[in-house]
C-alpha cells in the first residue's frame, strides 16, 4: 500500500511543479493608459448622452431612409468583409490556444521492401517482404515561460480589434447611407429649381421674341434673355449627372447593382435629429476606432512577451505507441509492439542578435501602437469638435441663405416691375434673376449641409446604437471566449 502511494505521489508533484512554473509569464502585462481629455467641447450643448444611443436616423422621420439603412445593414459588402475578417482572427486564436494542450496524431504505413540478396551463407528465401506499421503519438510543449500565453493574449486582442473594426464599418455605412440620401434629396431639389427656372426663362423668352417681332424691344434684350435661358439649361444635365452618380454610390452601399434609389420625403419636409451632447468628452472612448487602436496596443504589448520568451528554454514531452508486423493477419495483435516516451529541453546559446532584434522590433511596435492610440483619441476629439462647430455654423449659414433668398425674390419682383414701367433696363431684371437662381441653389445646399453635419456628430461620438442595429455584437466574435476574457460592452 505504501508503494502505491509513492507511485502516485511523483506525478502529482510533477504536475504541481508544472503549474507553479507555468505561472511565470515573461514580458510586461498590459496596463491601460489614461489620457487627459477636455471636460468641454468648443461648442456647448445640454448634456443628454443617451441621445447618442438611439437609432438616430429614424429622427429624420423618413420611412424610405429607414428602409435603406436596414438594407445596407443586411447587404453591404464592406460589412460582410469586416465580419469575415473577424472570423479569420477567431481561427488564428483557436490555432494559438491549441498549443496549450497535447497534440495527438496517428500514422499508418504499408510498404513492400527488398532484403539484401548478398549474404553468407546464401539464403534461398524470397528477399521481398511487406511491412505493416501503425502508431499513435502525442506531443506536448509545456508553456513554462508564457510564450503561448502571450501569443494567445495577442491573438485575442486581434479578435477584439477586428470586432471593433467591424463595428466601425457599421458606423461608417449607416452614416454614409444617411448622408448620401440627404445629399440625393438635395440634388433632387436643386434639379427641380433648375428645371423650374429654365421653364420660367423659356416663357419669358417667347414673350420677348413676340415683342421683338412687334418692334417693342430690341434684339439685345432678346439675346440677354436667351443667354439667361441657356444658363439655366446648362445646370439641368449637370444636376442630372450628379443625381445618377449619387444613386450609384448609394446602390453600392446597399449591396445592389447601380440603379435608381426610391425617394421619401422632400428635403424641406425631412425632420432634423436633436443635437446630441458633447459632454462628457469621455464619450469618445466608445468609438470603434479608439477601441480598435487600444486592442492593437494590447497586441503589440503581448508581442514583447512572445519575443522575450525566446531567451528561455522550451520543454516538450513526446509519447508513441504502435505496432509493426510483417503480416496483415496479426497487425496490431502480434507481439511486435513499439512504445516510446521522451522529454526534451532546448534553448538558445548564441543567436548573434536574432532574439535581441526581435525584442527590439516588438518594443518599437508597442511604442508605435501607443502613438497610434493617442492619435486615435486626438482625431476623435477633433472629429467631434468639428462636427459640433459645423452644426452650429451651418445652422447660421442656413438662416442667412434663407434671408438672402427672400431679399432677392423681392429684388427680382421690384426690378421686373420697374422694367415693365419703363424706369429700368432689363439688365437689372437679368441680374436679379441670376442672383436669385444661385441663392436658391445655395440655400438648398445649406439645408443639406446642416443635416449632414448632424449625421457627423452622431458618427463622431460613436454610440450604443451600433450595438442596437448589430445582432452580431455579442455573437461569434465573443461567444467562444471564456467569460473572464470577453470585452466589456461599450456605450
Amino acid at each position: 500500500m505504501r508503494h502505491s502511494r509513492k507511485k502516485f505521489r511523483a506525478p502529482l508533484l510533477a504536475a504541481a511543479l508544472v503549474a507553479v512554473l507555468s505561472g511565470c509569464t515573461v514580458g510586461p502585462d498590459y496596463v491601460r493608459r489614461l489620457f487627459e481629455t477636455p471636460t468641454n467641447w468648443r461648442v456647448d450643448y445640454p448634456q443628454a448622452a443617451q441621445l447618442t444611443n438611439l437609432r438616430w436616423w429614424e429622427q429624420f422621420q423618413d420611412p424610405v431612409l429607414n428602409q435603406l439603412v436596414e438594407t445596407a445593414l443586411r447587404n453591404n459588402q464592406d460589412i460582410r468583409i469586416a465580419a469575415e475578417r473577424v472570423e479569420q482572427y477567431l481561427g488564428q486564436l483557436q490555432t494559438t490556444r491549441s498549443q496549450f494542450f497535447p497534440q495527438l496524431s496517428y500514422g499508418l504505413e504499408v510498404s513492400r521492401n527488398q532484403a539484401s540478396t548478398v549474404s553468407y551463407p546464401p539464403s534461398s528465401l524470397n528477399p521481398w517482404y511487406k511491412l505493416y506499421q501503425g502508431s499513435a503519438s502525442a506531443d506536448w510543449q509545456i508553456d513554462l515561460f508564457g510564450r503561448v500565453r502571450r501569443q494567445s493574449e495577442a491573438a485575442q486582442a486581434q479578435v477584439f480589434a477586428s470586432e471593433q473594426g467591424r463595428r466601425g464599418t457599421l458606423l461608417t455605412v449607416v452614416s454614409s447611407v444617411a448622408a448620401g440620401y440627404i445629399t440625393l434629396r438635395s440634388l433632387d431639389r436643386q434639379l427641380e429649381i433648375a428645371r423650374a427656372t429654365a421653364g420660367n426663362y423659356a416663357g419669358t423668352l417667347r414673350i420677348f421674341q413676340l415683342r421683338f417681332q412687334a418692334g417693342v424691344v430690341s434684339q439685345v434684350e432678346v439675346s440677354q434673355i436667351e443667354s439667361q435661358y441657356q444658363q439655366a439649361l446648362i445646370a439641368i444635365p449637370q444636376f442630372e449627372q450628379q443625381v445618377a452618380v449619387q444613386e450609384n454610390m448609394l446602390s453600392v452601399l446597399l449591396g445592389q447593382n447601380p440603379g435608381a434609389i426610391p425617394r421619401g420625403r422632400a428635403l424641406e419636409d425631412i425632420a432634423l435629429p436633436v443635437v446630441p451632447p458633447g459632454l462628457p468628452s469621455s464619450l469618445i472612448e466608445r468609438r470603434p476606432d479608439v477601441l480598435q487602436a487600444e486592442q492593437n496596443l494590447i497586441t503589440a504589448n503581448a508581442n514583447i512577451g512572445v519575443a522575450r520568451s525566446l531567451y528561455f528554454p522550451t520543454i516538450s514531452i513526446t509519447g508513441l505507441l504502435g505496432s509493426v508486423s510483417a503480416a496483415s493477419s496479426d497487425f496490431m495483435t502480434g507481439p511486435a509492439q513499439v512504445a516510446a516516451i521522451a522529454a526534451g529541453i532546448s534553448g538558445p546559446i548564441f543567436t548573434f542578435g536574432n532574439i535581441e532584434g526581435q525584442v527590439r522590433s516588438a518594443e518599437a511596435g508597442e511604442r508605435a501602437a501607443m502613438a497610434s492610440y493617442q492619435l486615435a483619441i486626438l482625431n476623435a476629439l477633433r472629429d467631434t469638435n468639428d462636427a459640433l462647430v459645423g452644426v452650429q455654423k451651418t445652422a447660421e449659414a442656413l438662416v442667412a441663405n434663407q434671408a438672402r433668398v427672400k431679399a432677392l425674390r423681392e429684388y427680382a419682383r421690384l426690378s421686373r416691375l420697374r422694367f415693365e414701367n419703363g424706369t429700368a433696363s432689363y439688365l437689372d431684371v437679368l441680374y436679379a434673376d441670376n442672383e436669385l437662381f444661385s441663392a436658391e441653389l445655395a440655400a438648398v445646399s445649406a439645408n443639406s449641409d446642416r443635416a449632414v453635419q448632424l449625421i457627423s456628430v452622431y458618427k463622431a461620438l460613436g454610440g450604443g446604437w451600433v450595438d442596437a442595429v448589430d445582432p452580431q455584437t455579442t455573437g461569434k466574435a465573443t461567444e467562444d471566449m471564456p467569460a473572464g476574457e470577453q470585452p466589456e460592452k461599450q456605450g
Side-chain angles (χ1 to χ4, degrees), residues 465-477:
W465 63 266
V466 179
D467 297 328
V469 302
D470 179 19
Q472 295 187 28
T473 299
T474 55
K476 291 184 178 180

Side-chain angles (χ1 to χ4, degrees), residues 41 171 284 287 289-290 375-391 453 455-462:
W41 304 110
L171 187 150
I284 64 168
R287 278 175 49 131
D289 58 339
V290 173
L375 182 59
I377 293 175
L378 291 175
N379 282 331
L381 291 169
R382 186 204 65 187
D383 289 346
T384 307
N385 271 298
D386 288 350
L388 290 171
V389 171
V391 168
Q453 284 297 326
I455 294 172
S456 297
V457 172
Y458 281 95
K459 180 182 178 182
L461 290 175

Side-chain angles (χ1 to χ4, degrees), residues 298-321:
I298 295 174
T299 299
N301 184 80
N303 286 336
I304 295 177
V306 174
R308 290 181 181 175
S309 69
L310 298 177
Y311 284 118
F312 298 89
T314 57
I315 299 177
S316 60
I317 299 175
T318 303
L320 180 142
L321 180 65

Side-chain angles (χ1 to χ4, degrees), residues 223-294:
S223 297
Q224 290 172 344
I225 297 173
E226 184 174 4
S227 174
Q228 189 182 43
Y229 170 59
Q230 294 299 330
Q231 181 181 0
L233 287 180
I234 291 172
I236 293 175
Q238 293 176 344
F239 284 123
E240 289 175 338
Q241 178 188 6
Q242 293 177 46
V243 167
V245 170
Q246 194 70 15
E247 286 185 317
N248 293 340
M249 184 273 289
L250 281 170
S251 296
V252 172
L253 286 174
L254 300 177
Q256 302 173 354
N257 293 328
I261 297 295
R263 304 317 199 255
R265 290 191 170 196
L267 179 64
E268 56 270 21
D269 297 330
I270 291 178
L272 293 179
V274 177
V275 178
L279 299 175
S281 59
S282 58
L283 286 174
I284 64 168
E285 293 180 0
R286 64 186 177 184
R287 278 175 49 131
D289 58 339
V290 173
L291 295 172
Q292 185 177 25
E294 183 179 15

Side-chain angles (χ1 to χ4, degrees), residues 54-292:
L54 302 177
R55 297 163 66 99
W56 50 264
W57 58 92
E58 294 180 350
Q59 297 182 50
F60 286 109
Q61 299 178 16
D62 190 329
V64 172
L65 173 59
N66 296 342
Q67 185 58 47
L68 293 177
V69 170
E70 296 298 325
T71 300
L73 290 172
R74 291 194 306 269
N75 301 330
N76 180 267
Q77 298 301 321
D78 287 324
I79 294 177
R80 292 180 176 179
I81 292 171
E84 295 306 323
R85 189 170 293 116
V86 175
E87 290 294 323
Q88 285 181 313
Y89 283 110
L90 277 170
Q92 293 179 15
L93 175 61
Q94 184 176 1
T95 300
T96 301
R97 285 182 169 176
S98 68
Q99 298 177 76
F100 284 121
F101 308 97
Q103 305 297 300
L104 306 178
S105 59
Y106 67 90
L108 296 172
E109 182 179 342
V110 178
S111 62
R112 181 173 172 80
N113 307 278
Q114 182 182 18
S116 175
T117 58
V118 179
S119 62
Y120 185 84
S123 174
S124 60
L125 299 176
N126 186 355
W128 290 97
Y129 66 94
K130 289 183 179 180
L131 192 64
Y132 300 86
Q133 302 180 67
S135 65
S137 62
D139 181 54
W140 183 24
Q141 188 175 104
I142 302 174
D143 190 33
L144 289 181
F145 300 100
R147 178 183 62 84
V148 177
R149 285 191 293 281
R150 290 302 188 197
Q151 288 178 334
S152 179
E153 181 182 342
Q156 177 181 292
Q158 286 179 330
V159 172
F160 293 158
S162 65
E163 174 66 12
Q164 294 304 324
R166 189 178 66 83
R167 294 179 72 248
T169 301
L170 281 168
L171 187 150
T172 299
V173 167
V174 171
S175 301
S176 297
V177 169
Y181 180 77
I182 294 296
T183 302
L184 179 62
R185 298 306 285 138
S186 173
L187 292 171
D188 288 339
R189 179 58 186 145
Q190 290 175 317
L191 179 58
E192 291 175 4
I193 292 174
R195 286 171 174 170
T197 301
N200 292 336
Y201 289 168
T204 302
L205 178 60
R206 286 193 296 270
I207 293 174
F208 271 71
Q209 286 173 339
L210 293 176
R211 288 183 178 183
F212 171 71
Q213 293 173 4
V216 177
V217 297
S218 66
Q219 180 63 45
V220 173
E221 292 171 315
V222 174
S223 297
Q224 290 172 344
I225 297 173
E226 184 174 4
S227 174
Q228 189 182 43
Y229 170 59
Q230 294 299 330
Q231 181 181 0
L233 287 180
I234 291 172
I236 293 175
Q238 293 176 344
F239 284 123
E240 289 175 338
Q241 178 188 6
Q242 293 177 46
V243 167
V245 170
Q246 194 70 15
E247 286 185 317
N248 293 340
M249 184 273 289
L250 281 170
S251 296
V252 172
L253 286 174
L254 300 177
Q256 302 173 354
N257 293 328
I261 297 295
R263 304 317 199 255
R265 290 191 170 196
L267 179 64
E268 56 270 21
D269 297 330
I270 291 178
L272 293 179
V274 177
V275 178
L279 299 175
S281 59
S282 58
L283 286 174
I284 64 168
E285 293 180 0
R286 64 186 177 184
R287 278 175 49 131
D289 58 339
V290 173
L291 295 172
Q292 185 177 25

